[in-house]
């Protein structure tokens, strides 16, 4: 990310060719979606990318992510989309959401799904229970961000300043 930022600031990454961008997008998606489970590496559409001698799982994901980031920083509409308030809000609560979503899915979605299943059937029960739970996950993530994550970051920043002042104190 840092290297891409530097190269972008130096204007060394300009790409205006739409066909080339589309090809790189397909490659980025392919690399980023390489399966984590080794059992599927040589028995799926990714078989041509599988080499038994080395584990390329992380390598493919890093290259795919870097390509995706490269494409985003070279596409103003993507930058504009990622800068709108709802997307910025999701970015702000993404870490607490990552921490809490599984617990909330287990605690809320499973009982709701089982309660709705006899009356609504499998698919509708799934959709209704997930749609009820998503706002709850967003709310819990917002609260956790506001009252845990942000204060912790402020405290960490204060400690960092104190440590740096101590380390680089001029005598």
């Amino acid at each position: 990310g840092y290297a891409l930022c530097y190269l972008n600031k130096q204007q060394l990454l300009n790409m205006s060719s739409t066909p080339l961008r589309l090809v790189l997008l397909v490659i980025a998606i392919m690399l980023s979606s390489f399966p984590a489970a080794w059992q599927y590496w040589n028995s799926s559409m990714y078989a041509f990318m599988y080499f038994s001698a080395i584990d390329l799982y992380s390598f493919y994901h890093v290259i795919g992510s870097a390509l995706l980031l490269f494409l985003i920083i070279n596409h103003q509409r993507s930058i504009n989309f990622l800068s709108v308030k709802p997307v910025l809000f999701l970015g702000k609560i993404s870490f607490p959401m990552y921490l809490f979503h599984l617990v909330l899915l287990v605690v809320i979605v499973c009982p709701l799904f089982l309660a709705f299943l006899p009356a609504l059937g499998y698919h509708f029960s799934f959709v209704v229970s997930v749609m009820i739970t998503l706002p709850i996950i967003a709310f819990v993530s917002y609260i956790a961000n506001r009252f845990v994550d942000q204060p912790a970051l402020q405290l960490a920043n204060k400690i960092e300043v104190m440590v740096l002042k101590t380390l680089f104190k001029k005598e």
Side-chain angles (χ1 to χ4, degrees):
Y2 179 79
L4 286 174
C5 180
Y6 175 79
L7 293 171
N8 186 51
K9 287 289 184 192
Q10 301 300 318
Q11 297 182 343
L12 298 172
L13 292 181
N14 294 333
M15 176 187 294
S16 58
S17 171
T18 301
L20 182 56
R21 274 196 257 175
L22 289 173
V23 167
L24 288 176
L25 179 62
V26 170
I27 292 170
I29 291 170
M30 188 79 171
L31 291 172
S32 298
S33 62
F34 190 78
W38 62 269
Q39 298 92 332
Y40 304 108
W41 288 350
N42 61 359
S43 63
S44 67
M45 67 181 203
Y46 300 93
F48 74 96
M49 298 167 59
Y50 173 67
F51 300 101
S52 61
I54 51 176
D55 177 8
L56 294 173
Y57 168 73
S58 295
F59 174 76
Y60 286 147
H61 286 204
V62 168
I63 299 301
S65 299
L67 268 176
L68 195 56
L69 184 57
F70 167 76
L71 291 167
I72 289 169
I73 64 177
N74 275 291
H75 191 250
Q76 191 58 46
R77 282 187 282 180
S78 296
I79 293 170
N80 293 343
F81 172 75
L82 294 172
S83 299
V84 298
K85 286 188 178 192
V87 176
L88 292 174
F89 172 74
L90 284 175
K92 188 179 257 188
I93 67 168
S94 64
F95 183 67
M97 189 177 282
Y98 161 74
L99 293 177
F100 293 115
H101 81 282
L102 184 60
V103 172
L104 293 171
L105 287 175
V106 169
V107 169
I108 299 171
V109 171
C110 290
L112 282 176
F113 175 78
L114 293 174
F116 292 141
L117 187 60
L120 302 177
Y122 183 87
H123 297 292
F124 199 63
S125 296
F126 171 78
V127 170
V128 169
S129 56
V130 168
M131 295 309 290
I132 290 171
T133 307
L134 284 177
I136 296 169
I137 293 172
F139 178 73
V140 168
S141 300
Y142 169 76
I143 296 299
N145 178 65
R146 173 105 190 250
F147 296 107
V148 178
D149 202 27
Q150 289 304 315
L153 288 173
Q154 289 172 352
L155 178 62
N157 287 336
K158 288 178 184 176
I159 292 170
E160 176 190 25
V161 168
M162 289 175 11
V163 168
L164 289 175
K165 281 183 179 178
T166 303
L167 288 174
F168 298 106
K169 190 181 222 181
K170 292 187 181 190
E171 297 179 32

